[in-house]
Amino acid sequence: MTTILKERFSDILDKTPVLIFLLIVLVVIVLIVIQRITRPKKGRIPAHRIESDFGEKSYRNEILKSLPEVDQLDFSNLYHKLDELQSLVYQGKSQLELQRSEALDIIDRKIQDSQNQIKNKWNHQKKKLDFYHCICVHYASFTLADSIKREQENIRGIFVQYKKECDRLAEQIDYLSQQIDSSKGKKKYEYMQQHKANCKKHQRLSKLKNVFASKNTQYLQIVKDQNAYTRQYRKYIIKNFGEKGRVWGKRLEKRKADLIQNV
């Protein structure tokens, strides 16, 4: 009996290297299969992995990575230009006050350039019928719309500021006119000098006020137009990309509802 056990034990020891080798091969095969199942296609991210909030940098990074590498740089350059525009807008009213028409002209050109690029990309990408390309254009569109809206609010703020100053000066001018009529000599001369200076300032600020009033009206229309383009892109994506498009659309609606709730 002891001899039989020894022989069986010896036989098992002889086969151990073979068993270990087979086990290692089996583990390697399992790992390869798991990797192939879980790994996305090159340059793509499955729809369910785009989970970041719309508008956030993490969402931008995810949709960029979902593109083929050859297109990632192109869209990155567009987003960089939009960031530059946002940076100018975020400088706010003080920048507009300092540079006035120069600041407006720079931002006008950047907005027009961005709008043209986004329209061209949409017309080109729509022909490809590629979900990820289209949502990248949509992201660019609503990012631009947000910048335009912020700039419109800045412009309106400057307009209101100039209007208040013009109203104050108008009251001061009326007061000085009354003082001129009721005064004589040196005092009358002083009132006349103040009246002249205030009229000159009022005339200058009135022109600026009118410029910003006109720009405010213009930018309200630009915001309206850009939002219309963004809605058009959204509807197209939801309608033309099956379940992926519908899921994406629902997430977009949820984000908008959350934003309204937090206002």
Side-chain angles (χ1 to χ4, degrees), residues 98-190:
L98 290 172
Q99 296 186 13
R100 295 189 176 91
S101 60
E102 291 87 347
L104 286 170
D105 290 343
I106 290 171
I107 291 177
D108 280 352
R109 288 195 297 270
K110 286 186 175 293
I111 287 174
Q112 186 63 54
D113 179 60
S114 296
Q115 284 182 317
N116 290 336
Q117 286 193 52
I118 291 170
K119 288 178 186 177
N120 290 338
K121 282 188 180 299
W122 178 255
N123 291 332
H124 177 67
Q125 302 303 339
K126 191 169 66 169
K127 295 175 184 178
K128 289 185 175 183
L129 279 176
D130 185 277
F131 173 72
Y132 295 98
H133 282 87
C134 287
I135 63 174
C136 281
V137 177
H138 174 270
Y139 173 84
S141 183
F142 79 68
T143 300
L144 177 59
D146 181 66
S147 292
I148 297 171
K149 180 59 180 175
R150 290 178 185 274
E151 181 64 4
Q152 180 269 319
E153 291 171 350
N154 286 341
I155 290 170
R156 183 180 182 280
I158 298 296
F159 162 71
V160 171
Q161 178 180 319
Y162 282 141
K163 185 178 185 305
K164 288 180 179 179
E165 184 64 12
C166 285
D167 291 344
R168 187 190 69 79
L169 285 170
E171 292 179 1
Q172 187 69 13
I173 290 169
D174 287 343
Y175 169 77
L176 290 170
S177 295
Q178 295 172 13
Q179 296 305 310
I180 290 170
D181 292 339
S182 60
S183 301
K184 295 180 180 180
K186 184 179 179 181
K187 199 67 176 175
K188 183 172 185 175
Y189 176 77
E190 290 176 354

Side-chain angles (χ1 to χ4, degrees), residues 63-77:
I63 62 177
L64 275 175
K65 289 178 182 177
S66 71
L67 298 174
E69 291 182 6
V70 68
D71 294 324
Q72 289 182 20
L73 180 60
D74 186 34
F75 275 93
S76 293
N77 289 336

Side-chain angles (χ1 to χ4, degrees), residues 39-52:
R39 183 179 60 193
K41 294 180 181 180
K42 186 176 181 180
R44 301 280 183 178
I45 293 182
H48 68 273
R49 288 194 45 204
I50 301 179
E51 297 175 348
S52 303

Side-chain angles (χ1 to χ4, degrees), residues 21-79:
F21 175 76
L22 291 174
L23 181 61
I24 292 172
V25 171
L26 180 61
V27 170
V28 170
I29 292 172
V30 170
L31 290 175
I32 291 173
V33 171
I34 291 173
Q35 186 179 20
R36 288 183 176 179
I37 292 173
T38 59
R39 183 179 60 193
K41 294 180 181 180
K42 186 176 181 180
R44 301 280 183 178
I45 293 182
H48 68 273
R49 288 194 45 204
I50 301 179
E51 297 175 348
S52 303
D53 291 335
F54 289 88
E56 300 298 331
K57 288 297 175 66
S58 53
Y59 173 74
R60 174 194 292 192
N61 292 335
E62 288 183 40
I63 62 177
L64 275 175
K65 289 178 182 177
S66 71
L67 298 174
E69 291 182 6
V70 68
D71 294 324
Q72 289 182 20
L73 180 60
D74 186 34
F75 275 93
S76 293
N77 289 336
L78 172 59
Y79 294 160

